[in-house]
Amino acid sequence: MDRQKEQADALLSRELQFDDDFTPFPKTKTKARHTYKFILVESIAILSIILNIIAAVDYFAPKNVSFRDVPTDYSGLPHDQPVVYDWESPFGPGNQNSTLQDEVWEAMTIGQGIISLPKDWAKAKGLHPSATFPWDHSRAVYLVAGYHKLHCIKKIRRWIVATERGSQRTDHYEHVLHCLDGIRQAILCEGDDTPLYLSEVGDKISGRDEPRQCRDWSKLDRWAKENTACYGYDNEAADDSGGIKHYKYCPRDSPYAPVMREYFGLPDDYYEEPVEEVPSY
């Protein structure tokens, strides 16, 4: 009996011994499952690469952005101010009162366009080194180009009006020629490509009442005043723009006012608005 039991146990033991490569699941199913997983991972990786390429191309591709939408490097102003091209401006022939026309032209002051900027900031912006601001030697004095153009336009107009009226011309001829050439260069530099319409009937006019995108001059004026050089003209027409005497017009709350007052020996409460002498026409 015991011998029969031993033979049965030996037989059962041989039946339960598995080969080394035995697996309880068919090998074909395991390989298929690994293949599907590999394909899925590979597909996700390829999709990720494609999406990254699309994003990179979109990022580096030239954008359809007009230069007018781009803020300037200095005041940060874009061309975002709609302004109608005004043919009846009080500065032009629409104003038949020559006295009033003279007044509006001469009311455009230029002195605030002479500003002071930190020298380090100016250097970082690629600006040419300029004269040192007398009340803070870490700053330099610059003339904002827009104000320089207004200065030149005023000079040219005075010359034309004085010639037309037969009165004495107060502006120097060479300076007027300099201004004409400066405006010519500015026009070519800007290259304004705004299409101005032409009328088909009546007077041959161009661009009348046509809206244009401009920079906000009031914001430029505010930026200039925020960077004041305490500058003011006495007589802009006489070309007397040099000398430290022009730098005594600091705003009341200016941090440079105490230094300026000390230099000129002025009282602590001294404040003066620059008053430009209006030339006779």
Side-chain angles (χ1 to χ4, degrees):
M1 185 69 177
D2 292 337
R3 184 174 179 80
Q4 291 178 347
K5 185 176 183 301
E6 290 176 358
Q7 290 176 348
D9 290 341
L11 179 61
L12 180 61
S13 176
R14 285 196 300 272
E15 290 178 352
L16 292 177
Q17 288 178 357
F18 304 130
D19 295 335
D20 292 338
D21 59 350
F22 173 80
T23 176
F25 302 101
K27 292 184 178 181
T28 54
K29 291 185 179 180
T30 302
K31 289 182 179 179
R33 187 167 58 186
H34 285 302
T35 301
Y36 296 150
K37 184 177 181 181
F38 175 77
I39 292 174
L40 178 61
V41 172
E42 190 176 55
S43 299
I44 293 174
I46 293 173
L47 179 61
S48 176
I49 293 172
I50 292 173
L51 292 176
N52 277 280
I53 292 174
I54 293 173
V57 170
D58 179 69
Y59 180 82
F60 290 105
K63 303 297 189 297
N64 186 24
V65 177
S66 169
F67 81 94
R68 299 180 185 278
D69 300 324
V70 179
T72 63
D73 289 336
Y74 313 116
S75 64
L77 298 179
H79 287 79
D80 62 352
Q81 186 75 8
V83 177
V84 173
Y85 196 62
D86 186 6
W87 275 68
E88 303 300 328
S89 162
F91 294 85
N95 184 356
Q96 297 297 317
N97 188 321
S98 60
T99 301
L100 291 179
Q101 192 180 111
D102 294 345
E103 289 178 358
V104 295
W105 272 96
E106 294 304 330
M108 294 191 302
T109 56
I110 310 300
Q112 68 270 31
I114 296 180
I115 63 174
S116 69
L117 298 171
K119 291 181 178 179
D120 291 343
W121 184 90
K123 183 178 180 180
K125 293 292 184 180
L127 294 175
H128 196 282
S130 191
T132 296
F133 180 42
W135 315 136
D136 183 347
H137 291 181
S138 69
R139 301 173 73 89
V141 178
Y142 290 88
L143 170 58
V144 179
Y147 288 91
H148 183 228
K149 294 169 190 173
L150 283 182
H151 159 79
C152 277
I153 286 292
K154 288 176 68 175
K155 279 191 170 295
I156 294 169
R157 180 187 180 274
R158 280 194 294 260
W159 184 276
I160 293 172
V161 170
T163 301
E164 173 66 18
R165 296 175 185 173
S167 56
Q168 182 179 0
R169 293 185 286 260
T170 56
D171 295 277
H172 299 299
Y173 178 67
E174 291 78 9
H175 199 149
V176 173
L177 291 182
H178 152 75
C179 280
L180 278 171
D181 184 48
I183 292 172
R184 177 193 67 84
Q185 293 185 46
I187 292 171
L188 296 181
C189 176
E190 183 173 356
D192 189 351
D193 60 354
T194 304
L196 301 177
Y197 78 90
L198 300 176
S199 62
E200 296 181 356
V201 295
D203 295 336
K204 297 298 181 182
I205 59 176
S206 58
R208 184 171 187 170
D209 298 328
E210 188 170 346
R212 311 182 72 184
Q213 288 299 114
C214 305
R215 294 193 182 109
D216 190 332
W217 184 266
S218 65
K219 292 181 180 178
L220 178 62
D221 194 63
R222 183 163 61 248
W223 177 77
K225 290 176 179 177
E226 289 171 354
N227 292 279
T228 179
C230 303
Y231 191 92
Y233 280 104
D234 295 327
N235 187 342
E236 182 252 341
D239 293 338
D240 180 19
S241 58
I244 199 168
K245 66 178 182 178
H246 293 284
Y247 293 90
K248 66 176 183 178
Y249 301 103
C250 295
R252 294 184 187 276
D253 58 349
S254 171
Y256 314 119
V259 182
M260 177 273 295
R261 292 169 186 149
E262 181 180 0
Y263 178 87
F264 287 109
L266 298 169
D268 292 342
D269 60 349
Y270 171 84
Y271 170 76
E272 182 181 356
E273 287 278 356
V275 178
E276 294 185 15
E277 180 182 340
V278 178
S280 58
Y281 287 86

